[in-house]
Amino acid sequence: HADTQDTAALIRSLVDDGLSILLVEHDVDLVMNLSDHVVVMHQGAKLAEDQINASGGVNGKQLELITRDDNANPGDAVRLAEELVSREKVDVLTGSLLSHIGLALTDFAKQKKVFFLAGEPLTDKIVWQNGNRYTFRLRPSTYMQVAMLMPETAALKKKRWAIVYPNYEYGQSAAATFK
């Protein structure tokens, strides 16, 4: 909480000095307190949908973007996925920001045999231990990120390292991979 307040104070001082700030952040309270204008990812997805449909859609079919908020809760995510598949008849599930939500949706995709594109979750379990033929990852995994960093860290020739990580699925996965 103190770090957030310090960050907010720094950003306010930069704005007071006449700088414009592009803030990409998931702390909604921080964003709302600091921003004069807010554009969220949903609007970008909606713009893409409109652009694709204006160009004739995909294979001549118009896209319809249907969104739900999983509240960062795996149970809510699975309940909403079930609603989207059974009631809304969606063909593709995509999204989820957090790894534990991605894991829940990965399991759902396997059980229901529905395509799930994990847009943000980085835990390796999504495509390795818990992977299945219906789940695909859009971003590099924690393993891939560590593999990219290792040559640089090895070149530092340090003997002792500390790993500081968030204690949830993504952080645990990243720390295990570094070890």
Side-chain angles (χ1 to χ4, degrees), residues 63-160:
L63 295 181
E64 180 185 4
L65 177 65
I66 303 171
T67 61
R68 300 290 187 271
D69 182 355
D70 62 29
N71 296 311
N73 179 298
D76 287 354
V78 169
R79 180 182 53 76
L80 292 168
E82 179 64 47
E83 174 187 305
L84 289 166
V85 169
S86 62
R87 276 196 254 160
E88 300 287 345
K89 306 293 185 210
V90 301
D91 297 307
V92 174
L93 290 173
T94 189
S96 79
L97 182 67
L98 303 171
S99 289
H100 69 295
I101 304 298
L103 286 171
L105 291 174
T106 294
D107 187 56
F108 175 83
K110 180 179 178 183
Q111 290 178 27
K112 300 296 180 175
K113 298 181 173 145
V114 62
F115 182 93
F116 170 52
L117 178 62
E120 291 290 327
L122 299 176
T123 182
D124 292 316
K125 291 179 185 176
I126 285 180
V127 292
W128 290 1
Q129 297 95 320
N130 298 37
N132 62 70
R133 66 184 302 170
Y134 303 100
T135 300
F136 298 85
R137 177 198 311 283
L138 187 59
R139 300 221 13 229
S141 68
T142 52
Y143 176 85
M144 295 162 94
Q145 291 178 341
V146 169
M148 289 184 282
L149 292 171
M150 287 314 293
E152 296 297 320
T153 55
L156 295 173
K157 300 187 188 295
K158 301 292 181 181
K159 292 183 180 184
R160 296 184 68 203

Side-chain angles (χ1 to χ4, degrees), residues 20-49:
S20 295
I21 304 293
L22 171 63
L23 177 64
V24 179
E25 177 57 58
H26 297 288
D27 183 332
V28 175
D29 291 331
L30 176 68
V31 170
M32 296 307 291
N33 287 326
L34 289 173
S35 301
D36 295 325
H37 180 74
V38 176
V39 177
V40 296
M41 286 188 285
H42 174 75
Q43 288 175 306
K46 189 70 179 144
L47 289 170
E49 174 194 15

